Amino acid sequence: MAFLESTASIILLVIGAYLLFNCCYLLFFSLVSHKKAKPLQELLPLDRRFCVLIPTYRENEVILETSKAAINHAYSGDFDVFVIADGLNPETIQELKTTGVGVLEVFFEKSTKGKALAAALEALPEDAYDVVAILDVDNIMGQGFLQEVNRAFSAGYKVVQAHRTAKNMDSSFALLDACNEEINNSIYRKGHYAIGMSSALIGSGMAFDFLYLKKLLTGIGETVGEDKELDFRIVKDQEKICYLDNVFVYDEKIENAKVFTQQRTRWIAAQIEFLKKYAFEGFVQLFTNGNYEFLNKVVQAFLVPRILLIGVLGFFFLASLVLPVGPSPLFWATLLLMLSAALLIALPGKFYRNRQLWKAVVQLPYALLCMVKALFQIKKAKSSFMSTPHTAKAVSNEI
């Protein structure tokens, strides 16, 4: 009996140390996200030629609205908009062509966003464009997006991530998803960039040097997380990813539990995929090249998703009230307080002025159940392209 108790205590202490690291990591970057980043210093002012790519998978209605908004975006230089059409109806393709939008049709046995982007770049002439901007099918570029991204390239960056924010917050789940995205922005983008590290990519609202992106996409394969794969490849090259906190791209937020579960299934599958793929290489990069940014990306894949982390800490706190082994209830309560502080500090102040915020908080237990369900559907993400469905919503979240 004593042996079992001591073994259980050791296991719980290891788990406690791991979860403590999670909370410390989140709290640190949440705090430094309030540090102001250095302003851009333009070294080579130039109006670069932009290619705006919008990959779409069977989204016939939404892409018509998105592409029209994109082609009417104001920019002092030249830019073209191309829709990467995967599974669009012939009539949709014809209508797109009448608006002045370029259409690049792709056909895959198994569709992925990474393969679609790689095929599009192969089809475009290398000398026609300097920069590629990537939008999701529901994204709307905020005012000055291309102009400010161009300034970042003038400052010497080859990869830029803009501030993706909610297009809509018209349901409690959409507001919860919007809060989650802003917390991600603070911790993984703004916080990192403020202390001189690379921002994390988010999958859209990002821009790349044309030739560099073409190189990055070589052999991208059928990964469910092409943005994370690009993250690892960029930090391996020791290139810095610029984050533009005041340059917005509006993104549709999820309105129901079914779509939330589907999206999180894909995200968790990608996290596990890259943890397995790069965990060992993270230490190799650190000790052979001094590349701490690469190891940091591995650490991010090692972290428990935040909604699950809330549930896990809550479970261990309640269990510690009745179990005589492992860390005390005070330890678990402290971790819960640290996590709460990290999330509250990372969430922008404007959300606290939203009277519907409490409705989003009430949805947290339901969201936790969805995350648990997502854990059991990971294999599904590997065998099928679990795209997130969208609607043609107008921007209702002016910042």
Side-chain angles (χ1 to χ4, degrees):
M1 188 68 177
F3 174 76
L4 290 176
E5 286 186 0
S6 62
T7 302
S9 292
I10 292 170
I11 293 172
L12 287 172
L13 285 170
V14 171
I15 293 173
Y18 166 61
L19 296 177
L20 172 62
F21 174 78
N22 276 253
C23 294
C24 288
Y25 186 97
L26 296 174
L27 183 57
F28 173 77
F29 283 105
S30 178
L31 288 167
V32 298
S33 70
H34 291 271
K35 180 179 183 293
K36 288 188 177 180
K38 293 180 180 180
L40 293 173
Q41 301 293 326
E42 291 188 79
L43 306 173
L44 184 63
L46 174 72
D47 284 338
R48 289 162 183 77
R49 298 163 299 172
F50 274 80
C51 168
V52 180
L53 295 182
I54 312 175
T56 178
Y57 180 73
R58 299 179 180 176
E59 296 276 8
N60 290 281
E61 180 184 357
V62 183
I63 191 56
L64 293 173
E65 298 299 321
T66 302
S67 59
K68 287 176 185 175
I71 206 165
N72 289 318
H73 185 74
Y75 173 55
S76 59
D78 296 326
F79 76 98
D80 292 316
V81 177
F82 290 92
V83 171
I84 309 174
D86 187 350
L88 291 186
N89 296 333
E91 53 269 29
T92 304
I93 292 173
Q94 190 58 41
E95 187 171 348
L96 284 169
K97 290 178 178 178
T98 64
T99 65
V101 173
V103 179
L104 303 170
E105 291 189 71
V106 294
F107 305 92
F108 304 111
E109 185 176 339
K110 180 184 176 183
S111 296
T112 69
K113 185 175 175 181
K115 289 194 298 185
L117 289 168
L121 291 186
E122 285 297 327
L124 293 170
E126 291 184 353
D127 59 350
Y129 304 101
D130 303 305
V131 180
V132 180
I134 299 172
L135 303 177
D136 274 347
V137 66
D138 59 314
N139 287 173
I140 302 294
M141 293 181 283
Q143 185 177 359
F145 171 80
L146 292 180
Q147 203 69 52
E148 292 303 313
V149 169
N150 183 66
R151 288 187 64 244
F153 276 85
S154 290
Y157 287 99
K158 295 170 72 173
V159 185
V160 176
Q161 175 65 62
H163 184 155
R164 201 174 75 178
T165 193
K167 182 194 288 186
N168 62 298
M169 293 190 288
D170 46 359
S171 73
S172 53
F173 244 98
L175 179 55
L176 181 64
D177 196 21
C179 291
N180 181 66
E181 177 131 275
E182 293 299 343
I183 290 170
N184 275 338
N185 284 333
S186 293
I187 293 172
Y188 296 111
R189 281 168 272 284
K190 190 177 179 183
H192 279 71
Y193 185 63
I195 60 171
M197 298 178 71
S198 274
S199 161
L201 295 176
I202 199 171
S204 69
M206 51 189 186
F208 301 80
D209 174 87
F210 187 99
L211 293 177
Y212 186 50
L213 179 59
K214 195 169 183 178
K215 173 199 163 189
L216 289 172
L217 288 170
T218 302
I220 192 71
E222 296 185 345
T223 175
V224 295
E226 78 293 328
D227 55 329
K228 301 305 178 190
E229 178 65 32
L230 292 176
D231 256 339
F232 277 103
R233 294 184 180 193
I234 292 163
V235 296
K236 188 173 183 177
D237 289 342
Q238 300 196 33
E239 288 285 346
K240 293 289 184 184
I241 303 174
C242 175
Y243 178 60
L244 301 178
D245 188 50
N246 295 316
V247 180
F248 299 102
V249 169
Y250 296 96
D251 178 74
E252 183 182 328
K253 295 295 108 186
I254 289 168
E255 295 186 327
N256 60 71
K258 181 181 178 181
V259 180
F260 180 89
T261 303
Q262 180 174 300
Q263 187 187 70
R264 266 50 183 187
T265 299
R266 192 174 71 246
W267 290 1
I268 294 172
Q271 185 171 341
I272 293 172
E273 173 190 345
F274 294 115
L275 181 59
K276 290 178 179 178
K277 184 175 181 179
Y278 289 119
F280 177 74
E281 189 175 353
F283 292 98
V284 172
Q285 286 289 324
L286 177 65
F287 293 119
T288 60
N289 300 321
N291 192 345
Y292 64 90
E293 291 253 29
F294 194 98
L295 182 62
N296 179 58
K297 293 296 178 186
V298 174
V299 168
Q300 291 176 8
F302 186 68
L303 300 177
V304 179
R306 287 189 304 275
I307 293 177
L308 279 178
L309 184 57
I310 293 171
V312 169
L313 291 177
F315 169 79
F316 279 115
F317 171 71
L318 294 176
S320 69
L321 297 174
V322 295
L323 293 177
V325 295
S328 68
L330 179 60
F331 173 80
W332 298 113
T334 301
L335 293 197
L336 277 169
L337 286 173
M338 289 175 65
L339 177 59
S340 299
L343 302 184
L344 292 171
I345 293 168
L347 188 64
K350 70 184 183 69
F351 281 85
Y352 294 108
R353 297 189 292 271
N354 189 321
R355 296 179 181 178
Q356 303 301 313
L357 182 61
W358 67 272
K359 290 185 178 180
V361 173
V362 170
Q363 291 290 338
L364 277 173
Y366 191 20
L368 175 59
L369 290 176
C370 292
M371 291 293 288
V372 173
K373 183 179 178 181
L375 286 172
F376 292 97
Q377 296 181 347
I378 293 172
K379 289 184 178 179
K380 185 178 177 182
K382 296 179 180 179
S383 59
S384 62
F385 183 38
M386 301 178 69
S387 62
T388 303
H390 302 95
T391 57
K393 285 185 175 293
V395 175
S396 59
N397 176 31
E398 293 294 343
I399 298 179

